[in-house]
Amino acid sequence: MKSMIMSLAGGREILSIPGPTTVPDRVLSAMHRPAVDIYSGPLVDLTDHCLAELRGLFAVGDGRAYIYAANGHGAWEAALSNVLSRGDRILVLESGRFAAGWGQMAGDLGVEVTTLAGDWRRAVDPAAVEDALRKDTEHRIKAILVVQVDTASGVVNDIPAIAAARAAAGHPALLMADCIASLACMPFDMAAWDVDVAVSGSQKGLMTPPGLGFVAARGRAFEAHGRADLRTRYWDWTERDGPEHYQKYCGTPPEHLLFGLTEALVMLREEGLDAVHARHRLLAGMVHAAVDGWSVPDGISCNVIDPAHRSPSVTTVLLPPGIDPETVRGAASRTCGVVLGSGIGALDGKGFRIAHMGHCNAGATLGVLGAVETALALVGIDHTPGGVQAAVRHLQEVTAKAG
Ligand SMILES: *Cc1c(COP(=O)(O)O)cnc(C)c1O
């Protein structure tokens, strides 16, 4: 007789992909309302409120923030086009796929791209950055592009250390940071770290549907903006700095996404940013404990070798050669209703990704890890059982310490 239980995937699906992330019911509800006037009234105040909150999240000091009806790629183009000119040289710091992708976009715009080759399993080495900048004696490099978290490799880069490397080299290049997979997941302090331009998006740590791109800029970024010849009307900061609300979005504001974002910002305030960061650190610790627990030599393992280089928001898991990661993702989805991220870029077909960013808690994370361990056994992938237990132990230890 056929088993009655074909699948345990009913009930609410648990989405564990690194963007878009789970949108809280409160955010969804906040969006479910009629459209409002875009020229006057509450929406104008709402824009001011969102911009002020974003300035705080980026910690941009006396700099400015911009909201685009765009995804992260749009925010990338916004950042590049506002401060660079055709023929400028930039230095891209590789630690996975995303800084390189941002650099390619700059190349398409007519910027000359130099890449500091890196390793998909390690963070950018600040000493190598300092060395590369010292060699640029004529200061031809106008900007440095780096991601705080590379969502493909699962690497977290030490942005203040990279800024310190630039300072040590006495180099005037702008430092431009992609915080799309890290803002509201871990500390970011643009003014204190002396980052000139930063970008983020709505659909990861900010728990809002995809469609909003954010850029923050300060100090020398505006000097570069004055000279930049890549500026176009849609992205141009100067157009958006004017008093007219309509121009702040270069057209109709993405109202409903703004309603959702506002609620997400309330949720972040209620929890407190430090607590939000601590939660991400704890959930990441649980995932890392599980993957290290499953790990076998030349088999399943964490892509990022040094625990200090592992992102608090996403973990990339490598599988042994010859195993199709889709079998694991398929089993987790069919059997448990858990959707894992696939490997992308150089890790396409080599592993899968577990997101622990945004609206997630220890219960969901344990559920995801339980689904992975179930799938590993179902697919027959060599692993050490007990990863979930290691995650539970990590959770117990950290919460016991916290009292
Ligand atoms: C998701 C992501 C992007 C791209 O964002 P989209 O909204 O998909 O365009 C860029 N950089 C990083 C680090 C990301 O995680």
Side-chain angles (χ1 to χ4, degrees):
M1 205 178 88
K2 248 178 153 183
S3 162
M4 291 287 287
I5 301 174
M6 298 303 291
S7 167
L8 294 166
R12 183 174 270 208
E13 182 175 271
I14 297 182
L15 187 66
S16 187
I17 65 172
T21 61
T22 299
V23 181
D25 292 348
R26 281 174 63 179
V27 171
L28 290 173
S29 302
M31 298 173 67
H32 193 77
R33 51 171 291 190
V36 297
D37 183 24
I38 56 175
Y39 298 105
S40 62
L43 194 69
V44 175
D45 298 335
L46 190 112
T47 292
D48 290 342
H49 169 76
C50 287
L51 288 173
E53 290 288 277
L54 286 168
R55 283 198 297 273
L57 276 183
F58 281 107
V60 70
D62 56 9
R64 292 187 211 130
Y66 300 90
I67 301 173
Y68 295 91
N71 60 15
H73 283 72
W76 274 355
E77 185 159 325
L80 296 168
S81 64
N82 269 292
V83 297
L84 295 174
S85 297
R86 286 167 191 84
D88 276 358
R89 180 175 291 180
I90 60 169
L91 180 66
V92 171
L93 309 183
E94 190 197 5
S95 60
R97 169 185 170 139
F98 283 93
W102 195 8
Q104 267 165 7
M105 188 178 260
D108 292 347
L109 291 170
V111 169
E112 210 183 294
V113 181
T114 308
T115 301
L116 180 67
D119 184 322
W120 278 53
R121 306 195 71 179
R122 282 174 192 82
V124 169
D125 174 11
V129 176
E130 183 179 337
D131 191 44
L133 292 175
R134 279 190 193 283
K135 286 192 177 122
D136 180 38
T137 49
E138 290 170 36
H139 293 170
R140 290 208 48 214
I141 296 168
K142 300 301 175 204
I144 305 160
L145 267 49
V146 66
V147 293
Q148 188 173 29
V149 164
D150 189 287
T151 325
S153 61
V155 159
V156 60
N157 287 311
D158 187 343
I159 304 296
I162 291 166
R166 175 187 59 173
H171 199 291
L174 297 178
L175 180 57
M176 301 175 67
D178 170 336
C179 312
I180 296 175
S182 52
L183 197 69
C185 302
M186 62 177 293
F188 188 74
D189 200 334
M190 214 170 149
W193 299 348
D194 198 17
V195 175
D196 303 288
V197 181
V199 301
S200 195
S202 52
Q203 82 277 26
K204 298 192 184 177
L206 288 165
M207 309 181 286
T208 303
L212 296 178
F214 310 120
V215 178
R218 52 185 283 280
R220 292 193 305 120
F222 292 106
E223 290 168 28
H225 177 70
R227 296 186 295 269
D229 77 8
L230 286 175
R231 288 161 55 178
T232 57
R233 183 166 295 259
Y234 185 72
W235 305 119
D236 197 327
W237 294 337
T238 300
E239 296 286 333
R240 288 165 182 255
D241 281 337
E244 217 186 307
H245 186 251
Y246 190 72
Q247 289 311 337
K248 300 222 176 290
Y249 301 94
C250 192
T252 305
E255 301 191 328
H256 291 81
L257 289 170
L258 296 170
F259 298 145
L261 174 67
T262 304
E263 187 62 23
L265 293 167
V266 170
M267 291 176 68
L268 290 174
R269 272 208 183 266
E270 283 174 1
E271 186 175 355
L273 213 47
D274 289 345
V276 171
H277 297 160
R279 172 167 55 83
H280 280 83
R281 217 164 38 241
L282 172 52
L283 298 180
M286 289 165 61
V287 174
H288 300 157
V291 180
D292 287 342
W294 293 322
S295 170
V296 290
D298 302 318
I300 183 170
S301 63
C302 240
N303 176 55
V304 179
I305 299 158
D306 183 342
H309 297 184
R310 292 178 187 168
S311 161
S313 55
V314 57
T315 299
T316 302
V317 182
L318 294 182
L319 289 171
I323 302 272
D324 179 2
E326 290 309 301
T327 57
V328 179
R329 293 184 64 239
S333 165
R334 270 193 317 277
T335 314
C336 302
V338 166
V339 180
L340 302 167
S342 40
I344 57 169
L347 298 177
D348 181 14
K350 297 192 172 152
F352 61 91
R353 295 178 298 162
I354 301 172
H356 30 93
M357 68 172 82
H359 190 56
C360 52
N361 60 23
T365 303
L366 285 173
V368 169
L369 296 172
V372 172
E373 191 157 337
T374 303
L376 292 176
L378 286 176
V379 176
I381 293 171
D382 186 24
H383 67 286
T384 312
V388 174
Q389 187 56 50
V392 169
R393 215 160 35 240
H394 182 79
L395 174 61
Q396 289 168 337
E397 281 166 13
V398 176
T399 45
K401 248 186 250 157

